[in-house]
Amino acid sequence: MSDQAKVFPTAERARPRRVVIAGASGLIGTALTARLRSSGGEVRQLVRGTARAPAEWSWDPANGKIDVAALVGTEAVVNLAGANIGAGRWTAARKTLLRQSRIDATRTLVEAIARMTEKPAVLLNASAVGYYGDRGAEVLDETSASGRGFLAEVCEAWETEARRAEPLGVRVVLARFAMVLAPSGGALAKLRPLFQLGLGGRLGRGEQWMSWVTLGDAVRAVEHALADPQMNGPMNVAAPVPVTNAEFTRALAAALHRPAVFPVPRPVLRVALGEMADAMLLASTRAMPGRLRASGFGFEQPQLDGALAQVLERSH
Ligand SMILES: NC(=O)c1ccc[n+]([C@@H]2O[C@H](COP(=O)([O-])OP(=O)(O)OC[C@H]3O[C@@H](n4cnc5c(N)ncnc54)[C@H](OP(=O)(O)O)[C@@H]3O)[C@@H](O)[C@H]2O)c1
């Protein structure tokens, strides 16, 4: 059966009705909040700083501070919080923030859950396919070992922290997101202007594998995992047809009706972006959604061409 043919047994399962989201203001969190609310769910949002709406609860993850009342009565906790990985050059200070913001947020949530008498059934914690590191053409699923490098180490530490909720009797899902393609924000927002000017091109030799997923499918995958009591541990949130960077470049240029004739050599990327270039743009990660497919999840956009057409159409 094709992915498109078996769309979403998810929806009919026992969806959690009350969900608390950390990092709800971000790319994935905003879309997830909207989707859960549109299907009648109650979403509480943890915000750093002052709460400005009844559904917002203030927390201070850097200092381990949270009002446990924010979690009381919820069935699921979704943790998407962390300083943005692609937002700035990876200086030593930035790397400390990228790692520590994720560890602190996760630890604060797990410690709050530990203090509760009636605990949420599930903690869905973000992670990334960066867990696998730079792996050439190796096909990676959730049974694959972790890789080397900064992102892999951050993901491992982040996942270890989330797994501390397991002995508390909480189902823990580690959502290893691939590059999320969205109508606005995320990686496409950075690539698109260059491609529109006809300045897009493959990165390095373009042989590196890129795992990707549309924002719509990512959010449905999260919803699916929250509703499926059998889903636990790592879960790759990546479309079933990853592509090489050269294929991605061709597809994006074609979707925008522009040429993509300017390859960007590795040394240029390294000078421009430093270590981030190797970890995010030149690393090869061919991740497959083994757990999602085994659990009956169907991707609405399994192929890149269709995905880009949908995402770019929505951004108009
Ligand atoms: N988007 C992707 O392509 C992708 C791919 C792989 C993995 N992921 C991971 O999935 C998670 C969600 O992704 P996203 O794209 O939605 O992220 P995002 O847009 O960067 O949003 C992350 C949220 O984390 C909170 N945050 C920012 N700085 C923080 C800090 N220093 N300490 C604690 N919280 C902080 C912010 O919420 P508040 O300001 O409201 O607190 C922000 O809205 C992230 O952890 C990301 O690393 C994303």
Side-chain angles (χ1 to χ4, degrees):
M1 203 188 297
S2 82
D3 270 297
Q4 272 159 329
K6 53 174 185 180
V7 173
F8 323 132
T10 315
E12 303 321 318
R13 286 193 231 174
R15 291 196 194 121
R17 306 312 295 169
R18 282 182 301 278
V19 180
V20 61
I21 304 180
S25 64
L27 182 70
I28 301 171
T30 303
L32 179 64
T33 301
R35 181 162 172 102
L36 293 172
R37 284 186 177 153
S38 73
S39 56
E42 180 200 321
V43 177
R44 296 182 197 168
Q45 300 168 301
L46 295 178
V47 296
R48 292 170 307 141
T50 313
R52 299 183 194 281
E56 290 187 357
W57 294 70
S58 178
W59 73 325
D60 177 8
N63 292 300
K65 289 189 185 146
I66 186 169
D67 182 352
V68 176
L71 273 59
V72 168
T74 61
E75 296 150 70
V77 177
V78 176
N79 178 23
L80 304 168
N84 192 287
I85 298 271
R89 206 179 167 90
W90 288 0
T91 58
R94 182 83 195 151
K95 281 164 79 174
T96 302
L97 178 69
L98 294 175
R99 185 180 199 281
Q100 209 53 43
S101 60
R102 286 172 170 76
I103 302 298
D104 290 344
T106 310
R107 188 171 294 168
T108 302
L109 288 170
V110 174
E111 285 177 356
I113 292 171
R115 294 203 294 277
M116 297 170 73
T117 342
E118 289 209 17
K119 302 185 194 307
V122 53
L123 166 65
L124 184 140
N125 208 76
S127 180
V129 297
Y131 173 90
Y132 302 109
D134 183 10
R135 301 288 275 270
E138 185 182 348
V139 176
L140 303 160
D141 69 10
E142 293 86 347
T143 62
S144 304
S146 62
R148 293 206 202 101
F150 173 69
L151 280 185
E153 282 160 26
V154 168
C155 289
E156 262 202 279
W158 196 7
E159 293 188 4
T160 301
E161 211 58 52
R163 287 205 114 137
R164 293 192 207 282
E166 283 173 344
L168 304 173
V170 175
R171 178 165 64 90
V172 175
V173 181
L174 306 163
R176 293 179 183 159
F177 291 105
M179 175 179 61
V180 175
L181 302 180
S184 59
L188 265 190
K190 295 198 167 126
L191 291 172
R192 191 180 175 169
L194 279 177
F195 274 73
Q196 264 168 335
L197 291 170
L199 296 174
R202 60 166 211 270
L203 305 176
R205 283 192 293 277
E207 291 163 348
Q208 66 275 34
W209 285 86
M210 295 172 71
S211 299
W212 60 273
V213 64
T214 62
L215 180 60
D217 276 336
V219 164
R220 277 190 291 274
V222 168
E223 199 183 24
H224 174 90
L226 294 179
D228 181 353
Q230 305 304 319
M231 183 65 81
N232 59 25
M235 174 182 84
N236 290 345
V237 185
V241 190
V243 293
T244 63
N245 173 262
E247 287 167 336
F248 184 88
T249 301
R250 269 195 299 275
L252 181 55
L256 292 169
H257 310 293
R258 294 286 191 282
V261 289
F262 296 106
V264 192
R266 276 171 184 254
V268 172
L269 281 171
R270 287 192 179 126
V271 168
L273 299 171
E275 185 183 345
M276 201 195 331
D278 282 290
M280 295 188 68
L281 303 177
L282 298 169
S284 184
T285 308
R286 190 180 183 181
M288 303 301 287
R291 295 293 312 277
L292 274 170
R293 297 193 83 175
S295 72
F297 181 77
F299 285 82
E300 198 179 52
Q301 296 297 344
Q303 303 281 348
L304 184 62
D305 288 341
L308 286 173
Q310 184 202 57
V311 165
L312 296 172
E313 164 71 26
R314 288 190 183 166
S315 69
H316 286 153

